[in-house]
Amino acid sequence: MKNLKMDNIRDYLMTNDIKPSYQRIRIYEYLMNSYDHPRVDEIYKALIDEIPTLSKTTVYNTLNLFIEKGIIHMVTIEGTEVRYDVDISDHGHFKCDVCGKVYDFKADIVEIETNLGESFIINQKDLFFRGICPSCSVKN
Amino acid sequence: MKNLKMDNIRDYLMTNDIKPSYQRIRIYEYLMNSYDHPRVDEIYKALIDEIPTLSKTTVYNTLNLFIEKGIIHMVTIEGTEVRYDVDISDHGHFKCDVCGKVYDFKADIVEIETNLGESFIINQKDLFFRGICPSCSVKN
DNA sequence: AATAAATTTGTAATGATTACAATATAAAAT
DNA sequence: ATTTTATATTGTAATCATTACAAATTTATT
Ligand SMILES: [Mn+2]
Ligand SMILES: [Mn+2]
Ligand SMILES: [Zn+2]
Ligand SMILES: [Zn+2]
């Protein structure tokens, strides 16, 4: 998505106060190239072949570190399903109830008006839709 | 909230194709009187004193049944935290990062415009905000 | 009252996440 | 270059939430 190359990921992590270890670079790289908001297990399974020593704990540690430093977001649409998103720009998520795929969409989330007073300090806004995606509704 | 009494809960469950057992009535009643979007454990702990034989499995079964029949919603704000909401009208949720309390707020969720084409069938729209609530920001 | 159906319960199994100590790697100091 | 220190990774065990399942109980039907 951001079209960063290996060296640029290294710089990007460093500017965000993250030491660019090999594992961290590869995990960020994977997130960058995956449009489907992967779960921990998918990330682990995708990398274990090329990084045979990789531990699932490292994946968890790294993702939590990335979140803490603000370079990725956690995406929770339903139940206990936790996904990760390297795109931290303002956008919404749609999950198809049939195929389970998660789509990004544009929305003016900032513009949404509420009856929360000004005394509420809002740090994050998330918008989740669910339903049936085009390719699944065609099959039906 | 809806100010339903015991007998009315019984009717309400029946009109939604749910046999009104004692446990189901009490669980729905608890949800109705709790404004804080309780977790499974809170519901169980609140009722176990008055219903000593209550099983946590029954709480799970009942909540899943209620969701299936559409009389409650699951609220997932972050990570693995699953909460339940008896208010199925259109509204958003705000979670305070300090005290953890979940607030309801009004928002025109239906009106939110997106770039999802018309070929997406949208069944549910959820809006989650996070930040610091008034009473916690005062203390700071 | 007897039988069948539905609900509840308790326990075990599963799965995701975290805790923690040991090992390995990288950085700093001598 | 070697030693020391700090940081990161790994593997295993512990924890916690949820589900699966079969037995027991309750409710409905005959
Ligand atoms: Mn996204
Ligand atoms: Mn609510
Ligand atoms: Zn689909
Ligand atoms: Zn608060």
Side-chain angles (χ1 to χ4, degrees):
Chain A
M1 47 150 295
K2 277 175 186 163
N3 203 19
L4 299 175
K5 298 232 177 81
M6 206 60 163
D7 282 353
N8 295 335
I9 293 178
R10 174 173 266 111
D11 291 346
Y12 182 65
L13 295 182
M14 283 172 74
T15 59
N16 283 281
D17 198 24
I18 298 166
K19 290 196 179 170
S21 73
Y22 179 67
Q23 286 86 341
R24 287 169 179 175
I25 291 169
R26 293 304 303 276
I27 289 170
Y28 190 86
E29 182 195 35
Y30 179 79
L31 286 170
M32 230 177 52
N33 295 326
S34 70
Y35 285 83
D36 53 350
H37 311 81
R39 290 175 288 258
V40 169
D41 212 54
E42 295 176 58
I43 300 167
Y44 175 76
K45 286 198 177 113
L47 294 175
I48 188 63
D49 284 338
E50 288 188 52
I51 317 171
T53 64
L54 184 67
S55 164
K56 199 174 271 189
T57 303
T58 298
V59 180
Y60 276 105
N61 289 342
T62 301
L63 292 170
N64 287 336
L65 178 68
F66 287 175
I67 288 169
E68 190 189 314
K69 299 297 184 182
I71 66 167
I72 67 171
H73 279 174
M74 186 184 274
V75 178
T76 55
I77 292 195
E78 61 170 341
T80 58
E81 189 175 89
V82 177
R83 292 163 171 272
Y84 298 89
D85 196 347
V86 78
D87 181 358
I88 54 179
S89 72
D90 227 27
H91 66 285
H93 291 108
F94 174 96
K95 174 169 180 176
C96 176
D97 286 324
V98 179
C99 66
K101 193 178 171 191
V102 175
Y103 296 78
D104 288 323
F105 64 82
K106 285 183 189 168
D108 262 344
I109 300 178
V110 183
E111 299 302 318
I112 296 169
E113 289 184 18
T114 76
N115 68 335
L116 287 169
E118 292 184 13
S119 42
F120 279 84
I121 299 164
I122 298 167
N123 292 327
Q124 195 181 333
K125 297 181 174 185
D126 286 322
L127 188 57
F128 297 139
F129 288 5
R130 299 180 51 186
I132 303 173
C133 80
S135 69
C136 284
S137 57
V138 163
K139 290 172 191 163
N140 190 13
Chain B
M1 47 147 295
K2 278 177 185 163
N3 202 21
L4 299 175
K5 298 230 177 81
M6 206 57 163
D7 283 353
N8 295 337
I9 294 178
R10 175 173 265 110
D11 291 345
Y12 182 65
L13 294 182
M14 282 170 75
T15 59
N16 283 281
D17 198 25
I18 297 165
K19 291 194 182 172
S21 73
Y22 178 66
Q23 286 86 343
R24 287 169 180 175
I25 291 170
R26 293 302 304 276
I27 289 171
Y28 190 86
E29 183 195 35
Y30 178 79
L31 287 170
M32 232 177 50
N33 296 325
S34 70
Y35 285 81
D36 52 349
H37 310 81
R39 288 176 288 257
V40 168
D41 212 54
E42 297 176 57
I43 301 167
Y44 175 76
K45 284 195 177 116
L47 294 175
I48 188 64
D49 283 338
E50 288 188 51
I51 317 171
T53 64
L54 184 67
S55 163
K56 198 174 271 189
T57 302
T58 298
V59 180
Y60 277 106
N61 288 343
T62 301
L63 292 169
N64 287 336
L65 178 67
F66 286 175
I67 289 169
E68 190 189 315
K69 298 296 184 183
I71 66 168
I72 67 170
H73 278 174
M74 186 183 274
V75 179
T76 54
I77 291 195
E78 60 170 339
T80 59
E81 190 175 86
V82 177
R83 293 165 171 270
Y84 298 89
D85 195 347
V86 76
D87 181 358
I88 54 178
S89 72
D90 227 29
H91 67 285
H93 291 108
F94 174 96
K95 175 170 180 175
C96 176
D97 285 324
V98 179
C99 66
K101 194 177 169 191
V102 175
Y103 295 79
D104 289 322
F105 65 82
K106 284 182 189 170
D108 262 344
I109 301 177
V110 182
E111 299 301 319
I112 297 169
E113 288 185 18
T114 76
N115 69 336
L116 287 169
E118 292 185 11
S119 42
F120 279 85
I121 300 165
I122 298 167
N123 291 328
Q124 194 181 333
K125 298 182 174 185
D126 287 322
L127 188 57
F128 297 138
F129 288 6
R130 300 181 51 183
I132 303 173
C133 80
S135 70
C136 284
S137 57
V138 163
K139 289 173 191 163
N140 190 14

